[in-house]
């Protein structure tokens, strides 16, 4: 089943190998300004009448559905050379609140699912991505201005990261929990549990690998997420929503809100039904990170600060370790007397 | 029927074992010194209002000196081989055991809690906590926190008055084991045991500056957590102050752990053994006069057994002995301060005003000091303040439920998430409830049990981070 889209995507990838950095695959998108279109069309003419590409309307992803922003706003997304790629929805405060509601609603079911089940679903995400590698490589190339092979490497690493975290679902509990040898006749067990709804500011510079690196560890343990993707490069994330929607990830487990990071993040950081906040995407803006952490104190959100030196850029290809998993887990300790 | 209780002859513990000086300075860089501003404040015994001693009021200059001393001590302390650091901490544990009775009496005098509790709960747990973390000092690379866990640096620690020495142990033991140095501020109303602990450090030969104790009020604590040269903030206390601290450290690299308030639900099902449940309820809310962050302050009782359980509970409460904390037969001692007593009274009055029915154990309260009779409210709704706000006193709010789902919903209907209790004979129900309760500690068929090996800490607005066990190390290590 996954062969077919792969073939399509491959042909797109081949077409994109003309050395052009931006995501101009045959499979989708003119990815260039309308003014430039005709010229390009003439040089690569294959059919008598030039086929007009079908453009995608990018939408938010909330509660398993693909709504436009309730505000009706969009903003222009361009490639690294300033060429128009698409209009992305510009999420509003209301969209953020709706996304939190959806994430909260999904939390009971997702956190109550078995670890095996969650692991398989994350693995399924990787499977779906594998079939659309070329599409995502093209989108990442366009979004980040990377040459084709570098973009492909980012996508491959992202897919591998989903696989890596998928495997953690039924292992982290044993690594992070365990029996406590208390000095008395008690059974005493500590178990990690998901903290709840996590607002994730995805990295600004790494639109896809960075996104996978912050999103997968949040949801694999049973949290639900409201994600603000890279502000200037949101398209790979919005396309990821299509993958999530077809990977058995229950609606509401992941919600994606493209828009102005500062605007959406302010609402999420101050939202009283959000349990935690990942500030990865505020890494280059110390003032913003501080503002958001201050707002998050109002209901004592767990805050994962940007890495030290994040302003200079984070190497998302490095071994992630378990810290992003543990940052959004609570430890619950249960006691029971031992007796006959 | 108080007249049916056996008369007990007074059995006071002797206070001769403890020698309280008329005044104490700040313990900075291994020496006691007066506060830079020369200010002092009095600490009183809440059971008698007797002034026990005068202690120094640290200001910003003193905070500066203490942090500087801790910073200077850090390279040496963190550079010690773990095995050597461990030996210092083992020494502390042993000396605490040797001086346990003295410290128990001191704690009871300064805090107002019964000697039975300081002697049988606080002090044994204090020594055990140091003994436990001492053993970690040379095993950190095997703790599953990365191959090379590093200490953070200087830890600024602020602790409450309800378990003064135990909270000190929870803070200092893991900090020292992981190679950090410490500036600790005890609560304003209970500074003495921390100052005696300074003497324990002296006896243990702890290098100067590794542990610094500064006494003072909220302003002293605020200055400490805001100091730019500390790397770690650990706070136990109220949620309001916890939030203020979280705002203070926002945007810094200071690592923060908070252990804050609670409104624990103690859930009793119809199949629970009534007498055991009653003991658990009493332990849950009247232990330490209810001044426990993880207290079972909301009793959720299954509707069908409400009358039977409340009858048994009231019968039991009539036998609680309230009074002189130094008496070895006392169950319930004094409220820690006039301020806290006023808070309890205000909230209890609100319970009546909002329509709940108040019942207090008939008991004679001493004329001096700060006292509040063990009290329970029935007919409490979830909207009542006494069901929502932490009272931090011997006041139980009784609510009912019909189904396990309703019990879970009511138990979780709070911004807090520190503790919960479950009373039922059905094992599968315990495990199901334990899974669904959003609380850091769940006691099933028991309550208010603590152990150094057992991680403790809250969900939601009860704070974050864990104290105790392997998990407690993480709060003091750079694990990236």
């Amino acid at each position: 089943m996954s062969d077919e889209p792969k073939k399509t995507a491959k042909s797109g990838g081949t077409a994109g190998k003309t050395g052009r950095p931006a995501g101009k695959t045959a499979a989708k998108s003119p990815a260039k300004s309308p003014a430039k279109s005709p010229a390009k069309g003439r040089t690569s003419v294959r059919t008598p009448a030039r086929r007009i590409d079908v453009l995608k309307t990018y939408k938010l992803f909330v509660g398993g559905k693909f709504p436009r922003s309730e505000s009706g706003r969009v903003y222009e997304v361009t490639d690294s050379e300033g060429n128009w790629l698409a209009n992305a929805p510009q999420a509003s405060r209301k969209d953020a609140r709706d996304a939190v509601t959806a994430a909260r609603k999904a939390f009971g079911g997702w956190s109550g699912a078995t670890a095996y089940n969650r692991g398989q679903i994350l693995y399924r995400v990787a499977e779906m991505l594998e079939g659309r590698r070329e599409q995502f490589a093209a989108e990442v190339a366009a979004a980040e201005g990377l040459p084709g092979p570098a973009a492909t490497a980012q996508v491959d690493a992202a897919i591998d990261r989903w696989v890596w975290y998928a495997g953690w679902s039924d292992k982290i509990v044993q690594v992070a929990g365990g029996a406590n040898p208390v000095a008395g006749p008690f059974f005493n067990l500590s178990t990690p549990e998901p903290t709840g709804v996590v607002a994730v500011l995805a990295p600004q510079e790494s639109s896809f690998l960075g996104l996978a690196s912050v999103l997968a560890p949040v949801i694999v343990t049973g949290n639900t997420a409201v994600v603000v993707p890279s502000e200037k490069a949101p398209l790979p994330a919005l396309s990821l929503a299509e993958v999530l929607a077809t990977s058995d990830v229950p609606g509401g487990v992941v919600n994606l809100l493209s828009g102005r990071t500062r605007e959406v993040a302010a609402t999420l950081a101050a939202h009283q039904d959000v349990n935690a906040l990942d500030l990865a995407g505020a890494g280059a803006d110390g003032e913003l990170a501080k503002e958001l952490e201050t707002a998050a104190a109002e209901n004592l959100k767990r805050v994962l600060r940007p890495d030290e030196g994040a302003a200079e850029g984070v190497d998302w290809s490095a071994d992630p370790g378990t810290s992003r998993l543990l940052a959004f887990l609570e430890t619950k300790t249960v006691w029971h007397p031992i007796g006959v | 029927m108080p007249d049916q209780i056996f008369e007990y002859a007074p059995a006071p513990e002797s206070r001769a074992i403890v020698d309280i000086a008329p005044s104490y300075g700040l313990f900075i860089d291994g020496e006691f010194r007066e506060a830079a501003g020369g200010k002092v404040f009095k600490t009183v015994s809440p059971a008698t209002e007797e002034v026990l001693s005068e202690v120094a009021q640290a200001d910003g200059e003193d905070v500066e000196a203490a942090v500087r001393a801790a910073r200077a001590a850090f390279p040496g302390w963190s550079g010690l081989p773990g095995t050597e650091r461990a030996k210092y901490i083992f020494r502390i544990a042993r000396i605490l055991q040797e001086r346990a009775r003295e410290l128990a009496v001191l704690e009871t005098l300064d805090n107002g809690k019964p000697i039975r509790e300081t002697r049988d709960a606080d002090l044994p747990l204090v020594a055990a906590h140091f003994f436990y973390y001492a053993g970690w000092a040379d095993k950190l690379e095997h703790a599953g926190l990365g191959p090379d866990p590093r200490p953070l640096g200087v830890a600024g620690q602020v602790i409450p008055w309800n378990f003064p020495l135990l909270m000190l142990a929870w803070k200092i033991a893991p900090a020292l084991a992981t190679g950090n140095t410490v500036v600790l501020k005890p609560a304003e109303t209970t500074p003495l045991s921390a100052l005696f602990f300074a003497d324990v450090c002296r006896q243990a030969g702890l290098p100067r500056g590794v542990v610094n104790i500064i006494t003072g009020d909220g302003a002293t604590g605020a200055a400490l957590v805001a100091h730019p040269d500390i790397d770690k903030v650990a706070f136990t206390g109220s949620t309001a102050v916890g939030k203020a601290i979280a705002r203070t450290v926002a945007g810094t690299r200071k690592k923060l752990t908070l252990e804050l308030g609670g409104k624990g639900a103690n859930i009793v099902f119809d199949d629970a053994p009534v007498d055991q449940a009653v003991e658990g309820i009493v332990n849950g809310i009247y232990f330490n006069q209810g001044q426990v962050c993880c207290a079972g302050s909301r009793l959720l009782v299954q509707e069908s057994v409400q009358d039977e359980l409340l009858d048994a509970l009231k019968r039991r409460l009539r036998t609680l002995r309230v009074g002189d904390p130094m008496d070895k037969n006392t169950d319930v001692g004094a409220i820690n301060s006039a301020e806290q007593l006023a808070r309890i009274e205000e909230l209890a009055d609100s319970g009546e005003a909002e329509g709940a029915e108040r019942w207090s154990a008939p008991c004679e309260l001493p004329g001096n000091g700060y006292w509040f009779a063990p009290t329970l409210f029935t007919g409490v709704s979830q909207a009542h303040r006494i069901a929502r706000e932490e009272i931090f006193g011997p006041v139980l709010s009784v609510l009912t439920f019909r189904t396990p789902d309703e019990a879970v919903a009511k138990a979780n209907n709070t911004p807090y998430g520190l503790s919960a209790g479950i009373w039922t004979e059905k094992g599968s129900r315990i495990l199901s409830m334990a899974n669904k309760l959003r609380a850091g500690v769940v006691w099933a068929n028991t309550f208010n049990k603590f152990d150094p090996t057992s991680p403790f800490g809250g969900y939601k607005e009860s704070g974050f981070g864990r104290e105790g066990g392997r998990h407690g190390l993480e709060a003091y290590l750079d694990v990236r």
Side-chain angles (χ1 to χ4, degrees):
Chain A
M1 256 183 74
S2 63
D3 278 5
E4 205 155 353
K6 190 167 182 175
K7 267 181 209 155
T8 317
K10 240 181 198 151
S11 64
T14 319
K17 265 190 192 158
T18 50
R20 202 168 291 104
K24 288 152 195 170
T25 70
K28 68 162 277 307
S29 95
K32 56 193 134 24
S33 69
K36 278 170 80 181
S37 265
K40 169 81 193 320
R42 273 196 297 279
T43 60
S44 63
V45 71
R46 267 199 253 157
T47 48
R50 192 180 64 82
R51 183 176 180 278
I52 304 297
D53 296 325
V54 177
L55 301 188
K56 180 158 79 181
T57 305
Y58 285 91
K59 297 200 202 171
L60 305 176
F61 184 51
V62 176
K65 296 192 166 63
F66 292 90
R68 292 185 166 88
S69 169
E70 63 80 35
S71 66
R73 298 178 304 178
V74 293
Y75 69 108
E76 189 169 301
V77 179
T78 61
D79 66 16
S80 56
E81 291 162 6
N83 300 313
W84 183 86
L85 289 173
N87 292 323
Q90 186 181 332
S92 65
R93 289 178 293 182
K94 175 70 163 68
D95 292 320
R97 291 198 297 271
D98 289 347
V100 172
T101 304
R104 175 60 62 196
K105 200 172 160 195
F107 178 67
W110 182 242
S111 61
T114 64
Y116 180 34
N117 183 232
R118 283 198 304 269
Q120 288 183 91
I121 289 174
L122 261 75
Y123 186 76
R124 180 84 176 150
V125 172
E127 288 179 338
M128 295 292 101
L129 287 171
E130 186 79 13
R132 296 170 65 165
R133 280 171 75 227
E134 281 76 7
Q135 177 205 333
F136 280 102
E139 286 195 325
V140 169
E144 299 180 24
L146 294 174
T152 301
Q154 291 279 306
V155 172
D156 289 351
I159 296 171
D160 292 354
R161 187 128 306 160
W162 281 98
V163 173
W164 194 74
Y165 276 117
W168 268 116
S169 71
D170 48 10
K171 296 167 190 70
I172 190 68
V173 172
Q174 282 174 323
V175 169
N180 308 309
V182 298
F186 292 94
F187 169 84
N188 192 230
L189 193 72
S190 289
T191 317
E193 288 189 347
T195 193
V197 174
V198 182
V200 178
L201 310 189
Q204 300 294 346
E205 304 305 323
S206 181
S207 64
F208 199 61
L209 173 58
L211 173 70
S213 302
V214 296
L215 175 56
V218 165
I219 63 171
V220 70
T221 56
N223 295 295
T224 56
V226 178
V227 184
V228 184
S230 166
E231 179 171 327
K232 66 175 172 45
L235 303 186
L238 295 176
S239 292
L240 175 71
E242 299 156 16
V243 168
L244 298 172
T246 52
S247 304
D248 302 326
V249 179
V253 169
V254 178
N255 305 274
L256 287 154
L257 301 173
S258 58
R260 303 302 179 199
T261 299
R262 176 173 280 275
E263 180 187 13
V264 184
T267 300
L268 294 174
H271 198 296
Q272 297 301 292
D273 202 27
V274 170
N275 298 95
L277 179 61
D278 183 342
L279 289 176
D285 186 345
E287 262 318 296
L288 176 62
K290 182 177 178 177
E291 267 172 44
L292 296 174
E293 189 179 343
T294 305
E298 186 50 39
N299 69 333
L300 293 166
K301 290 179 184 71
R302 286 73 176 119
V303 176
L304 183 58
R305 293 175 179 148
D307 290 336
E308 222 159 340
E312 287 78 53
V314 175
D315 177 11
W316 292 103
S317 64
D319 176 356
T322 55
S323 60
R324 289 190 167 270
L325 291 164
L326 299 175
F328 304 111
L329 289 172
E330 305 289 334
T331 296
K332 176 183 281 176
T333 300
V334 179
W335 294 67
H336 195 279
I338 294 171
V340 287
Chain B
M1 293 136 281
D3 50 354
Q4 288 180 4
I5 302 177
F6 289 107
E7 286 299 320
Y8 285 71
E13 176 70 53
S14 166
R15 64 181 283 178
I17 193 169
V18 58
D19 184 12
I20 303 174
S23 70
Y24 287 94
L26 311 168
F27 185 67
I28 295 174
D29 203 18
E31 284 161 18
F32 281 99
R33 61 168 81 165
E34 285 181 18
K39 286 197 184 141
V40 296
F41 62 98
K42 293 177 168 58
T43 183
V44 305
S45 170
T48 59
E49 300 177 58
E50 167 202 357
V51 174
L52 295 172
S53 186
E54 273 186 357
V55 296
Q57 161 79 42
D59 64 10
E61 202 177 318
D62 301 307
V63 169
E64 179 65 39
V67 171
R68 209 179 308 123
R71 175 61 61 193
F74 176 64
W77 181 247
S78 58
L80 272 185
T83 44
E84 305 307 313
R85 249 189 357 252
K87 283 189 250 175
Y88 281 115
I89 306 169
F90 277 125
R91 280 188 191 174
I92 290 173
R94 289 310 220 190
I95 295 169
L96 286 166
Q97 287 175 331
E98 286 165 356
R99 299 179 62 175
R101 187 59 57 92
E102 172 197 3
L103 292 165
V105 170
L106 177 75
E107 194 86 308
T108 283
L109 288 171
D110 204 19
N111 171 281
K113 63 169 72 186
I115 185 70
R116 191 167 54 82
E117 289 177 10
T118 51
R119 185 193 63 199
D120 297 347
D122 295 58
L123 262 297
L125 283 169
V126 167
H129 214 83
F130 278 97
F131 198 90
Y132 174 76
Y133 276 107
W136 267 123
D138 54 0
K139 303 170 187 67
L140 297 174
E141 61 274 29
H142 305 294
L145 298 167
D148 185 27
R150 312 290 308 158
L152 297 167
V154 177
Q157 306 177 318
V158 179
I159 59 170
W161 43 259
N162 58 339
F163 295 91
L165 200 56
L166 183 58
M167 292 301 102
L168 175 149
W170 283 23
K171 295 285 178 286
I172 292 185
L176 296 190
T178 47
N180 298 279
T181 55
V182 164
V183 179
L184 176 133
K185 190 197 88 71
E188 188 180 2
T189 59
T190 55
L192 293 182
S193 54
L195 295 167
F196 274 57
F197 178 79
D199 192 52
V200 172
C201 294
R202 177 190 65 80
Q203 290 184 335
L206 196 69
R208 49 195 285 175
V210 171
V211 168
N212 305 276
I213 310 281
I214 55 171
T215 47
D217 55 12
T220 310
L224 176 58
V225 301
H227 195 286
D229 199 33
I230 59 171
D231 306 284
K232 158 77 191 177
V233 173
F235 171 74
T236 296
S238 75
T239 289
V241 174
K243 289 178 181 181
I245 291 174
R247 282 188 280 269
T248 301
V249 304
T252 71
R253 301 307 306 182
K254 291 174 191 171
K255 193 166 182 170
L256 177 64
T257 46
L258 299 169
E259 203 268 90
L260 308 174
K263 195 71 193 176
N266 208 351
I267 304 166
V268 181
F269 285 93
D270 57 8
D271 66 335
V274 172
D275 290 343
Q276 284 179 39
V278 163
E279 288 310 306
I281 294 163
V282 170
N283 182 29
I285 185 62
Y286 303 113
F287 170 63
N288 205 32
Q289 298 71 246
Q291 302 168 135
V292 185
C293 46
C294 53
S297 52
R298 288 181 298 155
L299 173 63
L300 298 183
V301 54
Q302 200 155 19
E303 204 174 84
S304 53
V305 294
Q306 179 185 208
D307 292 345
E308 183 192 358
L309 185 79
L310 287 180
D311 285 349
L313 179 60
K314 289 176 180 173
R315 202 157 51 236
R316 177 68 179 89
L317 294 183
R318 286 190 174 96
T319 67
L320 286 181
R321 305 183 68 82
V322 184
D324 182 7
M326 289 289 281
D327 191 310
K328 286 176 265 191
N329 291 320
T330 292
D331 296 306
V332 178
I335 302 301
N336 181 252
S337 66
E339 187 191 6
Q340 182 58 23
L341 178 60
R343 193 173 303 150
I344 296 167
E345 284 170 341
E346 192 270 320
L347 269 163
D349 291 347
S350 85
E352 275 184 288
E354 290 186 324
E357 192 180 330
R358 178 176 183 159
W359 181 91
S360 292
C363 56
E364 239 175 82
L365 300 177
N368 292 330
Y370 318 123
W371 303 91
F372 198 90
T375 294
L376 63 82
F377 280 93
T378 50
V380 179
S381 89
Q382 294 187 81
H384 287 161
R385 283 181 65 202
I386 54 171
R388 292 184 290 119
E389 296 178 29
E390 184 176 43
I391 299 173
F392 224 64
V395 181
L396 179 68
S397 300
V398 183
L399 297 93
T400 60
F401 68 92
R402 291 183 180 174
T403 64
D405 282 347
E406 188 187 350
V408 169
K410 284 185 169 169
N412 288 341
N413 183 17
T414 166
Y416 296 114
L418 191 50
S419 72
I422 307 164
W423 298 84
T424 173
E425 286 291 86
K426 192 174 177 190
S428 61
R429 183 186 283 155
I430 291 172
L431 297 176
S432 152
M433 293 292 293
N435 276 348
K436 291 174 190 159
L437 291 167
R438 303 287 291 163
V441 187
V442 177
W443 287 292
N445 292 326
T446 184
F447 211 94
N448 270 344
K449 292 285 180 286
F450 308 93
D451 192 274
T453 69
S454 184
F456 180 93
Y459 282 42
K460 301 194 280 186
E461 295 189 22
S462 289
F464 41 74
R466 291 295 178 268
E467 296 182 289
R470 184 187 68 88
H471 295 73
L473 297 170
E474 200 264 341
Y476 291 93
L477 288 171
D478 183 352
V479 296
R480 271 166 312 188

